Amino acid sequence: MSIRVVVADDQELVRSGFTMILEAQADIEVVGEAGDGGEAVAAVLRHTPDVLLLDIRMPVMDGLEAARRVCAQSSCKVVMLTTFDLDEYVYEALYAGASGFLLKDVRRDDLVHAVRVVAAGDSLPAPAVTRRLVADIVRRRHAESVAEAAPDRLGVLTAREVETLRMLARGLSNAEIATTLFVSEHTVKAHVGNVLGKLGLRDRVQAVICAYETGLVAPGSP
């Protein structure tokens, strides 16, 4: 089954370039394009894609608001497109539910790989980058009480699921978690699925955010 993608960017050349690259892959189908945030939301609701490539800076409705709406109204995974890797909106986009971000000058192979990774439910960008971004999000929202949130929100998890969440937040892969816990990768995948399902999280990026917000992992911890 093909990975269904919508490409949303107000620059036609960027849209066309990304579309051409993705359409050349046997397992990826671009089902729609959009030139502004409003069109992007409409395209997702109309075509029900697996992945939305969404420019952060868009006319009519900016990419951040579009990401919020898409994440709230569908199961589509959102990857933000940006010119700068530390674009201030990247933080808010991740918090809104985006699965990660890509620079617009991304290499062809990296673009294709990113779409496949996100469609499979894995994290993007790399765990180390995700940790840095999420830690900054938590610092920016330091006024919120994480101490009170932790017992209530994480109480639905088993001890092994809590430990799995802690390791996810520290950037460990499924293979590394399996080695640490002396279990199979299949078992780890089951634990990760349980964590996401019980906490109502979209993907591993959201799991990392949750771990920091609840105080399970503190910014700057190893």
Side-chain angles (χ1 to χ4, degrees):
M1 182 179 294
S2 295
I3 300 170
R4 296 164 57 82
V5 180
V6 166
V7 179
D9 195 293
D10 61 331
Q11 299 179 51
E12 184 176 358
L13 287 178
V14 173
R15 288 201 314 274
S16 299
F18 280 11
T19 296
M20 192 167 16
I21 291 171
L22 296 175
E23 283 283 11
Q25 310 305 311
D27 60 335
I28 299 176
E29 176 187 7
V30 177
V31 296
E33 296 182 26
D36 63 57
E39 289 181 0
V41 175
V44 167
L45 297 180
R46 181 167 62 252
H47 298 293
T48 61
D50 303 298
V51 178
L52 168 64
L53 294 179
L54 177 64
D55 186 11
I56 284 183
R57 302 180 185 278
M58 296 274 275
V60 182
M61 178 192 299
D62 66 37
L64 182 57
E65 179 58 27
R68 288 195 188 100
R69 297 192 185 192
V70 167
C71 292
Q73 299 177 47
S74 75
S75 60
C76 177
K77 302 295 177 60
V78 178
V79 176
M80 306 304 297
L81 302 172
T82 179
T83 306
F84 305 103
D85 62 349
L86 291 180
D87 189 307
E88 62 182 356
Y89 293 112
V90 168
Y91 301 101
E92 293 301 326
L94 291 178
Y95 203 83
S99 297
F101 69 95
L102 289 173
L103 297 179
K104 284 192 177 183
D105 62 357
V106 62
R107 295 189 311 161
R108 178 191 304 260
D109 291 346
D110 290 339
L111 171 65
V112 174
H113 174 70
V115 168
R116 289 172 177 154
V117 165
V118 171
D122 292 328
S123 59
L124 180 78
V129 180
T130 301
R131 286 191 66 200
R132 176 171 56 83
L133 290 172
V134 173
D136 193 74
I137 288 173
V138 173
R139 291 190 187 97
R140 290 171 180 231
R141 299 175 183 273
H142 65 279
E144 297 179 6
S145 174
V146 298
E148 295 180 2
D152 292 338
R153 191 168 185 189
L154 301 185
V156 297
L157 303 181
T158 65
R160 182 51 60 91
E161 289 164 356
V162 170
E163 188 60 26
T164 299
L165 176 58
R166 181 180 288 110
M167 293 183 184
L168 281 177
R170 289 175 174 166
L172 273 66
S173 66
N174 282 1
E176 291 169 331
I177 295 174
T179 298
T180 302
L181 297 180
F182 301 102
V183 298
S184 68
E185 284 191 55
H186 178 77
T187 298
V188 172
K189 288 181 180 179
H191 287 328
V192 172
N194 289 339
V195 168
L196 298 181
K198 289 182 179 181
L199 297 179
L201 304 172
R202 294 174 60 85
D203 53 30
R204 296 166 75 102
V205 172
Q206 298 303 301
V208 175
I209 291 176
C210 176
Y212 276 93
E213 280 191 324
T214 57
L216 182 64
V217 176
S221 62

